[in-house]
């Protein structure tokens, strides 16, 4: 496809509100964010200390350069003193070499410091993300979280590695040049300073404008990434509905077009500021040349001082220009820091109590005692007054309409959430009194949409039990009927399944997830509509395996298929967050209540 018109000239739509809100810049300087960054820098303070020393050395070398030029001209050339001329040239060369060596070493140290800090920061973020409760992920999209981990941390890396000490270097160099100029000639210094008010005004104007425009650029970039990820993840749906052309036009005209437009605005602003800074530097140089030349002709000033002054003028405006450009990087770092530390400060809602103990080997009795639960403090109650006892080794099927609360019940059993009232107990022990790891290590969970990690079939089955042998992996696969199709794969158990298990069918992925759960030898097994994604033949294979595998294990089964439900020891009918009926298949049919209605409406059709 080709673009006939310039995208940035077309009408574009603004990024969604959630993208813009995530890019809002708060304070230009936030002491809280700075303190948090400093905590990450503390382990590397010696590296920063030596970098500061090297920065000061290189700045001194920069400031000293024009002085040696002045010495070579006034005391060497003017006085025909070859020895002084050679000394000045040698010293100039030596200081230039010192500047190069100091800069090289400083950059090398700061790259290591910056990368180490980012390594620590990402490690802490990842650790925190692993610990956060599921309720966090229900409120925040993966895209927003990824943006903070990658984009915001990337901005921090650039600031710590390059901009932080560079800012101090510019300030230190600027101060050194200012002192050198005043020592050389006060009148010329004051003359050159006459353009400073214009420079300050241009810098402030650029800073004010760039802050808003750079925010728009970041929002536009985030929108590009978001739409790109969405289209890649949903490529099958896009192709199924022949949306390729329409999606391309939307991306080209609005998303990418808006991104181009914002970037061009910023570049035009930079293209306006930099020539103004260069023009003011040239005006200052011209003033010095005109006024300084008269002083030289009147023998009130030496030619060497004039040349040195001109060199200082060029070096004086460089740091000012660089500082104004670094402001946006600093602003981005503050905004990114706010988002990073906001993520790190998110409360882990389900935590182990300080006195939590290891869960002993589970026997399997599960009890809900007057359990009330809601997901958010201000949201509606999801479960109310749930009282339920499931004896060890029993299989309980949870049935009911979508949103009734079935999945919430099994999440409480797994302690992905804690009830706001009442208690969930296993073998008489309140789940809040034990560690989460010791609980879940004795549980197996199979979800409706199986997720496999990028790797081999064998690695995915072994995911929950890393010490499992090849024989145990194969035995688990055979138990759920997966060994047959696995051995027919090109590389058998070493076949790579790709991210999400895309190289396998839905039914095959589900069988692998069954093998993964069962390999851990769980005392409690949770099947969250685990057979709804498989075909009838595959389900029969699974049912045959489960008939034996569930013996001696407590199982919670959420299902809509009759074959999964009728053989359960208990069936609980959930409606509006309450248990309306409970019993086995025959008992509930005899009640002629809600279960009987569900059976007649949907389950009966599956009998044939």
């Amino acid at each position: 496809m080709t673009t006939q018109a310039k995208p940035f000239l077309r009408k574009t739509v603004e990024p969604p509100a959630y993208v813009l809100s995530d890019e809002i810049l708060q304070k230009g300087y936030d002491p809280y964010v700075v303190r948090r960054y400093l905590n990450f820098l503390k382990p590397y303070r010696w590296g920063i200390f030596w970098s500061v020393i090297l920065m000061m050395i290189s700045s001194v070398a920069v400031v000293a350069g024009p002085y040696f030029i002045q010495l070579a001209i006034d005391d060497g050339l003017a006085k025909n003193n070859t020895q002084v001329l050679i000394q000045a040239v040698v010293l100039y060369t030596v200081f230039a070499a010192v500047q190069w060596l100091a800069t090289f070493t400083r950059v090398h140290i700061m790259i290591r410091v910056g990368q180490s800090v980012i390594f620590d920061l990402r490690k802490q973020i990842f650790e925190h993300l692993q610990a956060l409760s599921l309720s966090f992920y229900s409120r925040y999209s993966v895209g927003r979280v990824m943006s903070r981990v990658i984009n915001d941390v990337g901005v921090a890396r650039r600031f710590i590695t390059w901009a932080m000490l560079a800012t101090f270097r510019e300030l230190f160099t600027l101060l050194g040049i200012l002192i050198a100029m005043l020592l050389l000639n006060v009148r010329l210094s004051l003359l050159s300073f006459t353009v400073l008010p214009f420079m300050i005004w241009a810098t402030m104007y650029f800073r004010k404008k760039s802050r808003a425009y750079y925010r728009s650029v970041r929002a536009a970039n985030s929108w590009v990434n978001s739409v790109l990820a969405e289209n890649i993840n949903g490529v099958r749906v896009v192709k199924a509905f022949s949306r390729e052309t329409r999606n391309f036009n939307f991306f080209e005209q609005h998303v990418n077009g808006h991104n181009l437009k914002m970037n061009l605005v910023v570049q035009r602003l930079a293209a306006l500021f930099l020539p103004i800074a260069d023009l003011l530097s040239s005006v200052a140089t011209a003033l010095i040349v005109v006024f300084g030349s008269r002083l030289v002709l009147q023998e009130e000033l030496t030619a060497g001082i004039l040349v040195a002054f001109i060199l200082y003028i060029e070096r004086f405006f460089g740091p000012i220009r660089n500082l104004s450009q670094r402001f946006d990087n600093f602003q981005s770092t503050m905004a990114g820091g706010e988002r990073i530390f906001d993520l790190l400060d998110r409360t882990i809602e389900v935590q182990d109590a300080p006195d939590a103990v290891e869960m002993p080997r589970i026997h399997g009795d599960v009890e809900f005692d007057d359990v009330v639960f809601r997901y958010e403090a201000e949201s509606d109650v999801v479960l109310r007054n749930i009282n339920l006892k499931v004896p060890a080794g029993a299989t309980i099927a949870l049935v009911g309409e979508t949103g009734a609360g079935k999945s919430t019940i099994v999440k409480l059993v797994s302690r992905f959430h804690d009830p706001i009232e009442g208690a969930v107990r296993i073998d008489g022990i309140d789940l809040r009194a034990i560690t989460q790891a010791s609980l879940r290590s004795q549980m197996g969970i199979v979800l409706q949409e199986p997720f496999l990690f990028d790797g081999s079939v064998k690695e995915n089955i072994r995911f929950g039990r890393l010490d499992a042998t090849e024989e145990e992996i194969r035995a688990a696969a055979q138990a759920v009927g997966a060994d047959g199709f696995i051995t027919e794969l090109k590389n058998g158990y070493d076949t790579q399944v790709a991210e999400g298990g895309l190289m396998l069918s839905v039914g095959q992925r589900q069988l692998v997830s069954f093998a993964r759960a069962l390999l851990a030898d769980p005392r409690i097994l949770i099947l969250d509509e685990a057979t709804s994604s498989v075909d009838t033949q595959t389900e029969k294979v699974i049912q045959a395996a489960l008939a034996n595998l569930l013996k001696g294990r407590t199982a919670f089964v959420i299902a809509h298929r009759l074959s999964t439900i009728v053989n359960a020891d208990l069936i609980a009918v959930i409606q509006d967050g309450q248990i309306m009926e409970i019993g086995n298949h025959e008992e509930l049919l005899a009640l002629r209540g809600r279960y009987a209605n569900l059976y007649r409406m949907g389950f009966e059709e599956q009998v044939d």
Side-chain angles (χ1 to χ4, degrees):
M1 299 181 187
T2 57
T3 303
Q4 300 299 324
K6 296 181 179 180
F8 65 90
L9 294 178
R10 300 179 181 180
K11 182 180 179 181
T12 62
V13 289
E14 290 291 325
Y18 74 88
V19 173
L20 292 171
S21 64
D22 225 29
E23 296 296 333
I24 292 176
L25 303 179
Q26 302 296 329
K27 306 172 185 176
Y29 170 77
D30 190 334
Y32 172 75
V33 172
V34 172
R35 286 196 301 270
R36 293 291 293 271
Y37 275 130
L38 289 177
N39 288 333
F40 283 94
L41 288 169
K42 280 182 181 179
Y44 311 100
R45 54 185 175 274
W46 282 110
I48 296 174
F49 170 78
W50 287 114
S51 295
V52 170
I53 297 298
L54 291 169
M55 177 268 294
M56 296 174 68
I57 292 173
S58 64
S59 297
V60 169
V62 169
V63 174
Y67 168 75
F68 294 122
I69 298 295
Q70 182 253 325
L71 191 66
I73 294 174
D74 291 343
D75 295 344
L77 291 175
K79 297 180 180 180
N80 198 23
N81 190 329
T82 306
Q83 184 178 359
V84 173
L85 178 61
I86 294 174
Q87 289 177 347
V89 171
V90 170
L91 286 172
Y92 181 86
T93 305
V94 169
F95 270 70
V98 169
Q99 177 194 350
W100 175 86
L101 182 61
T103 301
F104 174 82
T105 308
R106 175 182 60 82
V107 169
H108 179 76
I109 292 174
M110 285 309 298
I111 286 176
R112 188 171 186 82
V113 169
Q115 293 294 345
S116 298
V117 169
I118 297 310
F119 173 83
D120 294 341
L121 186 57
R122 282 202 173 117
K123 180 178 68 174
Q124 186 169 330
I125 292 174
F126 187 83
E127 182 182 20
H128 189 66
L129 288 173
Q130 297 288 295
L132 282 171
S133 306
L134 290 183
S135 55
F136 169 82
Y137 294 98
S138 66
R139 296 191 297 266
Y140 287 84
S141 67
V142 174
R144 290 178 66 187
V145 175
M146 291 295 293
S147 177
R148 298 188 184 195
V149 176
I150 297 176
N151 296 341
D152 292 332
V153 173
V155 170
R157 179 190 60 80
R158 290 191 294 272
F159 179 77
I160 293 171
T161 304
W162 304 108
M164 184 174 66
L165 280 188
T167 301
F168 289 107
R169 184 194 65 207
E170 306 291 1
L171 291 171
F172 191 81
T173 302
L174 192 62
L175 178 62
I177 292 174
L178 182 63
I179 294 173
M181 290 171 64
L182 290 172
L183 290 176
L184 279 178
N185 191 284
V186 175
R187 284 189 296 175
L188 290 181
S189 298
L190 295 177
L191 179 63
S192 62
F193 295 161
T194 56
V195 301
L196 280 181
F198 302 99
M199 188 68 179
I200 293 172
W201 175 84
T203 300
M204 297 296 292
Y205 178 81
F206 173 76
R207 190 181 72 175
K208 180 180 178 180
K209 290 291 185 181
S210 66
R211 178 163 52 186
Y213 286 128
Y214 274 111
R215 186 188 74 180
S216 299
V217 167
R218 282 189 294 273
N221 288 336
S222 295
W223 197 23
V224 168
N225 293 334
S226 176
V227 172
L228 183 62
E230 186 178 53
N231 275 265
I232 291 175
N233 290 330
V235 65
R236 290 167 182 78
V237 178
V238 172
K239 289 184 175 296
F241 288 91
S242 300
R243 287 272 305 201
E244 295 95 334
T245 302
R246 187 166 182 176
N247 282 16
F248 170 80
N249 290 334
F250 178 79
F251 181 80
E252 184 255 353
Q253 296 179 24
H254 300 303
V255 183
N256 207 29
H258 181 78
N259 184 43
L260 176 61
K261 178 181 178 181
M262 290 297 99
N263 276 279
L264 287 175
V265 170
V266 169
Q267 294 305 317
R268 282 197 291 266
L269 183 63
L272 176 65
F273 171 75
L274 295 179
I276 288 177
D278 291 337
L279 176 62
L280 292 175
S281 176
S282 299
V283 170
T285 302
L287 291 175
I288 295 303
V289 170
V290 172
F291 188 72
S293 298
R294 291 179 58 188
L295 294 178
V296 171
L297 293 175
Q298 296 171 4
E299 298 184 352
E300 296 181 21
L301 189 73
T302 65
I305 291 178
L306 178 60
V307 172
F309 220 94
I310 292 173
L311 293 176
Y312 278 129
I313 285 292
E314 294 178 355
R315 301 187 184 196
F316 179 75
F317 284 94
I320 295 177
R321 181 173 60 245
N322 293 339
L323 285 171
S324 64
Q325 291 177 305
R326 295 193 196 285
F327 172 81
D328 177 69
N329 188 264
F330 177 76
Q331 186 80 12
S332 298
T333 304
M334 290 296 102
E338 288 179 358
R339 292 189 287 266
I340 290 170
F341 298 126
D342 172 70
L343 176 60
L344 287 174
D345 291 339
R346 289 286 169 178
T347 302
I348 301 174
E349 297 176 6
V350 179
Q351 300 188 59
D352 291 339
D355 56 349
V357 298
E358 296 290 309
M359 182 71 178
R361 181 167 176 78
I362 292 175
H363 180 60
D365 293 303
V366 180
E367 179 185 3
F368 281 69
D369 184 6
D370 273 333
V371 168
V372 178
F373 177 77
R374 61 164 59 93
Y375 284 101
E376 299 284 350
E378 303 299 326
S379 64
D380 295 333
V381 172
V382 178
L383 297 177
R384 51 174 61 85
N385 305 118
I386 298 294
N387 288 283
L388 175 65
K389 290 185 179 182
V390 182
T395 297
I396 179 171
L398 306 177
V399 300
E401 298 176 351
T402 301
K406 305 183 298 295
S407 294
T408 304
I409 288 176
V410 298
K411 288 177 183 177
L412 292 177
V413 174
S414 309
R415 210 194 162 203
F416 289 136
H417 303 284
D418 284 332
I420 61 173
E421 294 181 23
V424 180
R425 300 184 180 90
I426 293 180
D427 297 342
I429 304 173
D430 192 324
L431 297 188
R432 289 168 291 198
I434 59 177
T435 62
Q436 298 175 66
S438 65
L439 169 67
R440 294 179 191 142
S441 65
Q442 300 186 64
M443 303 184 73
I445 302 175
V446 181
L447 303 175
Q448 178 181 4
E449 298 179 3
F451 184 87
L452 302 184
F453 293 87
D454 188 12
S456 67
V457 174
K458 177 172 60 181
E459 290 169 336
N460 273 280
I461 295 176
R462 186 186 275 155
F463 187 82
R465 187 181 158 197
L466 299 179
D467 61 344
T469 64
E470 301 275 351
E471 292 74 17
E472 290 172 325
I473 292 172
R474 183 178 291 273
Q478 289 173 341
V480 298
D483 181 69
F485 87 82
I486 294 176
T487 54
E488 293 177 359
L489 296 174
K490 181 178 180 180
N491 296 314
Y493 282 82
D494 292 318
T495 301
Q496 299 295 308
V497 301
E499 182 180 356
L502 295 180
M503 301 301 294
L504 304 178
S505 69
V506 175
Q508 289 173 335
R509 293 201 297 270
Q510 195 62 285
L511 287 173
V512 171
S513 67
F514 263 92
R516 176 170 60 193
L518 295 170
L519 180 63
D521 189 22
R523 304 308 304 154
I524 296 178
L525 187 62
I526 294 175
L527 309 178
D528 190 352
E529 301 194 49
T531 61
S532 63
S533 299
V534 300
D535 56 68
T536 304
Q537 187 61 38
T538 303
E539 184 188 7
K540 290 179 179 179
V541 174
I542 293 175
Q543 292 294 344
L546 288 179
N548 295 321
L549 292 169
L550 291 180
K551 289 180 180 179
R553 294 185 174 92
T554 305
F556 283 75
V557 181
I558 299 176
H560 293 294
R561 292 191 176 184
L562 177 64
S563 56
T564 310
I565 297 171
V566 293
N567 295 322
D569 300 300
L570 289 172
I571 301 172
V573 180
I574 315 297
Q575 182 175 330
D576 297 329
Q578 294 179 293
I579 297 178
M580 308 305 295
E581 297 174 356
I582 189 165
N584 59 36
H585 178 65
E586 289 76 14
E587 291 171 345
L588 294 182
L589 283 180
L591 288 177
R592 300 180 180 275
R594 289 177 172 82
Y595 179 78
N597 289 334
L598 288 173
Y599 177 79
R600 285 194 299 270
M601 290 169 54
F603 297 152
E604 253 183 347
E605 299 176 5
Q606 302 174 25
V607 175
D608 297 334

